[in-house]
Amino acid sequence: SDAATYESSESHPTSVTTACMDDTVTDPYANSGATESDSTDTISIKLFAIDGAGNRVAANEIAEGSTPQYVAVAFDKNGVELNIGGTVNVTFTTGSAGSSDFTTTSQTVTLGTPFSTATRDDFIADNNETFTVAIVDRTFSDAATYESIDIDTTAVTTIILDDNGEDPYAASGAT
């Protein structure tokens, strides 16, 4: 005890109770404010296309018959990438590319893990066809774990390029 160091010392038998407050919400998608501070601890989830060099990009171009890749990534409120579990649903929507040009099946994908869809190589001269991929809002499997979730539903566009630029008559010898 340090009582001998002081002129007098008093003991108070009353206990002190401390309450730790957190943003406890029933719907993390609708948490607009914080209770313990001036800022909500929001997790943001965003979709990226992956280019041929493995970089995350807003849109990609691929040759028909190839397999474009994408990844859904989580970030904290400061934009720092998070390595958290969980899944989200993504949908593929036709643009100028029809459902015969790529696989349009919706998928459930794991955050941070690349996923893909197949495109089909056809005989039609149809350069620059497009389709989009987007995260479906309110589908994060671990949403109840976090105070606030913001899913960016902005679609990523993929452009399908014809796989050759040859003259179609040159192969048959016709002119």
Side-chain angles (χ1 to χ4, degrees):
S1 168
D2 291 330
T5 309
Y6 304 100
E7 292 178 19
S8 70
S9 128
E10 294 181 25
S11 173
H12 293 283
T14 307
S15 64
V16 174
T17 303
T18 302
C20 294
M21 300 198 54
D22 194 15
D23 288 337
T24 303
V25 295
T26 56
D27 184 358
Y29 297 106
N31 187 13
S32 61
T35 57
E36 89 275 7
S37 67
D38 290 335
S39 65
T40 304
D41 295 324
T42 300
I43 301 296
S44 298
I45 300 174
K46 182 173 175 57
L47 183 66
F48 295 93
I50 299 175
D51 68 13
N55 300 309
R56 295 177 187 164
V57 293
N60 57 0
E61 292 182 345
I62 51 97
E64 66 181 355
S66 64
T67 305
Q69 291 193 324
Y70 312 88
V71 65
V73 182
F75 298 93
D76 70 10
K77 66 182 178 182
N78 298 315
V80 176
E81 186 172 333
L82 301 172
N83 184 14
I84 61 175
T87 61
V88 291
N89 296 341
V90 295
T91 58
F92 295 84
T93 305
T94 58
S96 56
S99 60
S100 64
D101 294 309
F102 69 102
T103 303
T104 61
T105 306
S106 296
Q107 298 180 29
T108 298
V109 301
T110 301
L111 295 183
T113 302
F115 64 95
S116 61
T117 192
T119 63
R120 294 181 187 87
D121 188 1
D122 57 24
F123 59 89
I124 299 170
D126 51 7
N127 203 27
N128 294 325
E129 290 182 309
T130 63
F131 66 90
T132 59
V133 186
I135 300 174
V136 178
D137 199 14
R138 303 177 75 91
T139 61
F140 179 44
S141 64
D142 292 346
T145 304
Y146 301 98
E147 295 174 1
S148 179
I149 304 294
D150 176 45
I151 294 183
D152 185 343
T153 58
T154 303
V156 170
T157 299
T158 296
I159 300 171
I160 304 174
L161 304 173
D162 257 347
D163 57 349
N164 71 39
E166 297 176 13
D167 179 351
Y169 297 106
S172 66
T175 55

